[in-house]
Amino acid sequence: MSIIGAIVSYKGGITGSDGRKHTSAVINGDIIVKPSEVETDEFDKTFRITNNLIGAFCGLLFFNKKNISEHIADIHSRVISYNKNFKDVVQRIADELNDMVNKIPDSEVMPQYRKVDILIVGIISKGKMGAAKIRLPFSDENNIQPQIRKITKKSGNQYFLFGDDDAQKHAKKILDVNNAKNNDICFMKTLLRKALENGIKNSGISPFSSNASCGGKVFWKQTI
């Protein structure tokens, strides 16, 4: 697991991620036959679909020979031709990606390991930003759908986190003590970087190896 985050104000948004990517572990039943290893610490889990539609992902990073951001870009290219509403675009991305995740062959990824967390940030209208948290696959029992929040001037800065529990807890410590009213992009970028760096430094151990879940370079994208 990695750590990803976003900070959003009515002026725009920032998404960020750590850079750690693990190799696939070989698992037989509940037994790890071959632990995962750190493949790279410079894998960018953030993405830009348009100037004003950005995001980040963690959990399962690849399937069907494409990473999650490439799958999202493919879906968006089909959706945007007839729908530019933020909420509807997010819902279509979530629905189509959920369907794709559920159809991954067991030989590639077993069902219990097909977990994807996604943050998407975009403009709803002038002076209004939107942020969405998506957890895949959807739960049949709870029918979990994307959580979409509208952010205006009155909302102040809003932050969102996904990923390793320990990393989230320590990133949250940085974000929770911030009392500054500044909501421009440069400030949000600095704050998110500090939060993610603290999360990376204090992340838990990967469930598939003895290596830390998070690590490496902090990547980011901003709305333009």
Side-chain angles (χ1 to χ4, degrees):
M1 183 60 80
S2 310
I3 183 167
I4 60 173
I7 302 180
V8 189
S9 76
Y10 75 101
K11 290 184 177 181
I14 295 282
T15 60
S17 79
D18 72 323
R20 177 150 295 183
K21 179 179 179 292
H22 298 266
T23 60
S24 297
V26 178
I27 301 173
N28 185 359
D30 294 329
I31 300 174
I32 299 175
V33 178
K34 181 182 179 182
S36 64
E37 298 177 353
V38 176
E39 182 176 330
T40 180
D41 272 339
E42 295 192 0
F43 180 76
D44 187 356
K45 304 174 190 104
T46 66
F47 59 86
R48 178 187 304 284
I49 302 301
T50 68
N51 285 345
N52 293 307
L53 191 68
I54 60 174
F57 62 94
C58 65
L60 178 65
L61 303 181
F62 280 87
F63 68 91
N64 292 351
K65 299 181 180 180
K66 290 185 178 181
N67 66 44
I68 298 300
S69 64
E70 291 171 322
H71 286 298
I72 290 174
D74 289 345
I75 296 168
H76 183 266
S77 67
R78 298 192 295 271
V79 172
I80 198 63
S81 61
Y82 59 87
N83 196 333
K84 296 184 179 181
N85 178 276
F86 177 77
K87 182 177 179 180
D88 291 343
V89 168
V90 167
Q91 187 66 60
R92 284 296 299 272
I93 288 173
D95 287 342
E96 291 197 29
L97 195 57
N98 185 67
D99 186 55
M100 294 166 70
V101 167
N102 280 315
K103 291 179 179 177
I104 298 172
D106 289 359
S107 58
E108 182 176 357
V109 184
M110 294 297 291
Q112 64 267 38
Y113 304 119
R114 301 175 196 170
K115 296 178 181 179
V116 185
D117 289 336
I118 305 167
L119 297 173
I120 298 180
V121 174
I123 289 178
I124 292 179
S125 60
K126 185 177 181 181
K128 295 179 182 179
M129 294 293 297
K133 295 185 73 172
I134 304 170
R135 172 156 281 171
L136 302 175
F138 294 151
S139 167
D140 291 334
E141 293 181 1
N142 300 318
N143 192 29
I144 298 173
Q145 296 291 311
Q147 300 174 26
I148 300 175
R149 187 178 301 176
K150 181 168 66 175
I151 298 157
T152 66
K153 188 173 183 178
K154 292 182 180 180
S155 305
N157 293 343
Q158 303 284 302
Y159 73 80
F160 308 85
L161 295 168
F162 261 142
D164 175 83
D165 289 341
D166 289 333
Q168 285 193 67
K169 181 175 69 176
H170 285 86
K172 188 174 183 293
K173 287 181 180 180
I174 299 295
L175 297 169
D176 283 347
V177 298
N178 171 62
N179 295 314
K181 302 297 183 181
N182 197 333
N183 50 29
D184 62 38
I185 291 291
C186 289
F187 173 78
M188 291 191 292
K189 177 184 173 184
T190 300
L191 180 60
L192 183 60
R193 177 180 55 78
K194 289 180 179 178
L196 293 181
E197 286 177 344
N198 199 49
I200 291 168
K201 184 172 65 175
N202 295 283
S203 72
I205 300 300
S206 166
F208 306 110
S209 74
S210 59
N211 297 305
S213 292
C214 309
K217 180 179 177 181
V218 173
F219 291 87
W220 59 274
K221 295 290 187 295
Q222 71 179 60
T223 56
I224 299 175

